[in-house]
Amino acid sequence: MKKLIRYTALTTFLLPLSLSSQKNYFINDEFIIRGSFSVGQELLNNRISSMFTDPVMKNANWGFVVYDPKNKKIINSYNEKASLIPASTTKLLTTETAMSILGKDFQWTTQLEYSGEIDENGVLNGNLYIIGSGDPSLGTGRAGASSYGTLINDFSSAIKNLNIKQIKGDIILKTAVFKNNKNTPLPANIVWKGDTHYYLPAGSTNDTDPRQEKLLGNKKMEQQKFVYHSPYNNQLVYTEHFNGYSLNTKLPDATYYLANNLKTNLLKNGITIEGKVIDQSNSNIQLEPRKKLTKYTSPKLVDIVYFINQTSNNAMSEALLKTTGFYEKGDFSLDTGRMIVNKHLTKRTFDFDGFHFADGSGLSRSNVVTPMSQVKFLSSLIEEKHFDAYFKSLPIAGQTGTLKSMFINSESNGQVFAKTGTLNRVKTLAGYVKTKSGKLLTFSLLINNYNGSVAQVKQKMETILAPMIEL
């Protein structure tokens, strides 16, 4: 049987960068490499070469690269510019974009209010209001968030504590941008009316009159009647009067489930509601005077990102993509979320060659990216102020999250920090590795159309990646 020596590809144009410049040649079907390599390089080369005859990998379309962020150089790679399905490693982009735009300590608020008066018989001659803000974790019971059951019980208790026995009005849903965050972003394309605790949508910036605009400057937003990003000069402005009425944008989904179950819970507890659940999120109907009953505050974004990346939660990732789009452009939609991510990546000088961003979770097989783009993106984050929180959100090999079952009996245990991805015949891993010499490197391994089981391809991934700690 012929033996391959330090071989990483079947043809020279597929060779890893570390080998392509060497004067290598074939003798009797053996590939001979001239040049000296580190122990880690030799191990990587041998491990990669073994994949080309492996039953699981030989027909797969895959790419790999390990990159040194400090020197901005490829250490080893194979097929690193191939455009491949990344699966849930897509979440690396979604979560980092949200953390960069909103800040790791950002929190969403959902507030319960009422209008009107309560008479001596416990009858509320008014409405209940639920003011939401696009919380991606609302009611999930995950990432430290309360479950819908807990929220409903808390809201019901606040109503009962006022001795309300009957509600003559409706449960009205509104969307707002709350002021509780240190730096509250004010979404564009919407004219916002300040309230005590939040800003409410008053209409579309398409209905604004540039002659009435005044630059906000150093004035506090809450002191102005109407505030918005001017479509004419792209700066924050305010106006004393606004008569617009249209709002041709999508706001966060109304909290119908919370509202309808609150109504059911109240009825079970003997508190009747004559009205119905009404969504006024996309309406400029003037709000009547209201009083705060109670509020719920979400976990911090850093905790939500940690949960998403550790568990690879798809629903929460998609919700986070949409709410990030909302806080930038005032539109709660997949298209806006994707636009914001692409805009953010442009600022990071992301390599868009072979890239398409289809969703926030990686469930879509229309997502494609190159391993090279991923490692450069991950490298670009190291100097960012939120990097430590972002890095800590990633699963740790052999220890936490979706990497807990990998690298268990390996020296890489505890040294690989990465996001996993899994779809039918797609297995991926991208993130960081701490080497024995103290380097922090970035890597990406994207495997599409492999043969065999998920367990088998995971074992092949470990085989390829284990030598990285020797670099």
Side-chain angles (χ1 to χ4, degrees):
M1 180 180 290
K2 302 299 182 183
K3 183 179 179 182
L4 289 170
I5 304 175
R6 301 180 194 164
Y7 171 48
T8 60
L10 291 177
T11 56
T12 54
F13 71 86
L14 289 177
L15 284 177
L17 184 66
S18 60
L19 304 182
S20 60
S21 63
Q22 305 294 331
K23 293 182 179 179
N24 311 312
Y25 54 91
F26 284 95
I27 295 179
N28 297 326
D29 295 329
E30 294 183 357
F31 188 68
I32 308 300
I33 298 172
R34 286 180 173 175
S36 59
F37 300 92
S38 68
V39 172
Q41 284 279 28
E42 288 191 4
L43 284 171
L44 266 176
N45 292 338
N46 289 334
R47 298 291 177 84
I48 293 172
S49 71
S50 69
M51 294 300 119
F52 293 96
T53 55
D54 186 275
V56 175
M57 296 288 291
K58 66 180 181 179
N59 294 318
N61 186 17
W62 64 284
F64 163 73
V65 60
V66 57
Y67 185 81
D68 187 340
K70 186 176 181 179
N71 297 321
K72 294 182 170 55
K73 290 183 179 180
I74 296 174
I75 296 175
N76 202 311
S77 67
Y78 163 71
N79 213 19
E80 72 277 8
K81 293 186 178 180
S83 184
L84 299 164
I85 299 170
S88 282
T89 59
T90 299
K91 293 181 177 75
L92 290 168
L93 307 180
T94 305
T95 54
E96 193 281 323
T97 300
M99 196 172 279
S100 178
I101 290 174
L102 299 176
K104 65 183 181 65
D105 295 323
F106 191 89
Q107 292 177 282
W108 289 264
T109 298
T110 304
Q111 188 157 294
L112 180 65
E113 304 172 346
Y114 72 96
S115 64
E117 299 297 330
I118 305 167
D119 66 21
E120 65 276 7
N121 297 314
V123 177
L124 172 61
N125 294 291
N127 302 303
L128 290 179
Y129 284 83
I130 297 179
I131 314 295
S133 58
D135 181 359
S137 66
L138 186 68
T140 62
R142 296 170 174 175
S146 294
S147 65
Y148 275 117
T150 301
L151 276 171
I152 290 162
N153 287 334
D154 289 346
F155 280 18
S156 295
S157 294
I159 293 168
K160 286 186 283 187
N161 287 341
L162 286 181
N163 295 316
I164 296 174
K165 297 179 175 60
Q166 183 181 2
I167 299 168
K168 288 285 190 179
D170 301 307
I171 300 179
I172 298 173
L173 308 177
K174 298 289 288 186
T175 293
V177 173
F178 280 78
K179 300 175 182 178
N180 55 301
N181 295 289
K182 185 177 180 180
N183 296 307
T184 301
L186 201 59
N189 301 322
I190 297 175
V191 176
W192 298 91
K193 183 178 183 297
D195 205 286
T196 304
H197 304 289
Y198 43 70
Y199 303 98
L200 289 163
S204 169
T205 55
N206 291 333
D207 296 331
T208 57
D209 182 352
R211 296 170 299 180
Q212 304 297 322
E213 294 179 356
K214 299 176 184 178
L215 287 177
L216 189 64
N218 294 324
K219 300 180 181 70
K220 292 184 178 180
M221 285 192 292
E222 54 265 29
Q223 295 174 347
Q224 313 310 316
K225 194 168 185 181
F226 299 99
V227 184
Y228 57 95
H229 289 274
S230 172
Y232 308 103
N233 61 24
N234 201 32
Q235 296 187 67
L236 268 177
V237 299
Y238 71 95
T239 182
E240 297 293 333
H241 305 284
F242 176 72
N243 298 316
Y245 59 91
S246 66
L247 194 57
N248 51 3
T249 188
K250 183 173 173 58
L251 295 175
D253 294 335
T255 50
Y256 267 110
Y257 188 86
L258 175 62
N260 282 312
N261 281 274
L262 174 62
K263 183 177 181 180
T264 300
N265 182 276
L266 292 173
L267 289 171
K268 286 181 179 178
N269 285 278
I271 301 174
T272 60
I273 301 178
E274 293 187 3
K276 54 188 178 181
V277 175
I278 299 174
D279 178 20
Q280 288 185 1
S281 291
N282 212 26
S283 169
N284 71 331
I285 295 174
Q286 293 297 313
L287 286 180
E288 56 196 327
R290 302 162 320 284
K291 296 177 183 178
K292 174 184 167 184
L293 269 168
T294 188
K295 73 173 182 179
Y296 166 76
T297 303
S298 78
K300 291 183 177 181
L301 176 58
V302 64
D303 298 318
I304 293 174
V305 166
Y306 179 87
F307 179 82
I308 290 173
N309 285 336
Q310 288 286 319
T311 65
S312 205
N313 187 279
N314 294 318
M316 202 176 291
S317 184
E318 295 295 348
L320 182 61
L321 175 69
K322 292 179 180 179
T323 199
T324 304
F326 165 69
Y327 276 88
E328 275 288 280
K329 291 295 181 182
D331 190 71
F332 192 81
S333 67
L334 175 61
D335 286 343
T336 300
R338 289 188 305 199
M339 179 185 71
I340 294 306
V341 169
N342 281 308
K343 182 180 177 182
H344 175 68
L345 293 178
T346 300
K347 292 180 180 179
R348 293 225 176 279
T349 62
F350 188 84
D351 183 357
F352 285 95
D353 188 31
F355 176 74
H356 179 68
F357 184 72
D359 64 15
S361 63
L363 277 175
S364 173
R365 299 181 80 91
S366 294
N367 289 302
V368 286
V369 70
T370 68
M372 197 67 227
S373 293
Q374 286 195 324
V375 295
K376 284 186 174 181
F377 167 74
L378 292 167
S379 297
S380 73
L381 307 180
I382 293 175
E383 299 302 322
E384 294 294 324
K385 61 182 180 181
H386 59 273
F387 175 70
D388 185 60
Y390 180 75
F391 181 82
K392 289 178 179 176
S393 77
L394 300 175
I396 303 173
Q399 298 183 18
T400 65
T402 53
L403 268 184
K404 191 173 184 178
S405 63
M406 291 184 70
F407 302 98
I408 293 175
N409 299 311
S410 166
E411 287 186 295
S412 297
N413 189 315
Q415 303 306 308
V416 175
F417 310 80
K419 183 71 197 73
T420 59
T422 307
L423 290 172
N424 183 33
R425 299 187 69 198
V426 174
K427 196 78 184 95
T428 60
L429 190 64
Y432 304 87
V433 58
K434 290 182 178 179
T435 70
K436 289 180 178 179
S437 62
K439 296 177 184 176
L440 182 66
L441 307 176
T442 60
F443 75 92
S444 170
L445 175 58
L446 309 179
I447 304 173
N448 292 183
N449 300 318
Y450 62 86
N451 295 314
S453 66
V454 172
Q456 286 174 313
V457 76
K458 284 171 69 175
Q459 190 274 325
K460 304 305 173 187
M461 296 176 85
E462 289 188 39
T463 298
I464 296 169
L465 297 174
M468 290 192 302
I469 63 166
E470 302 288 349
L471 296 172

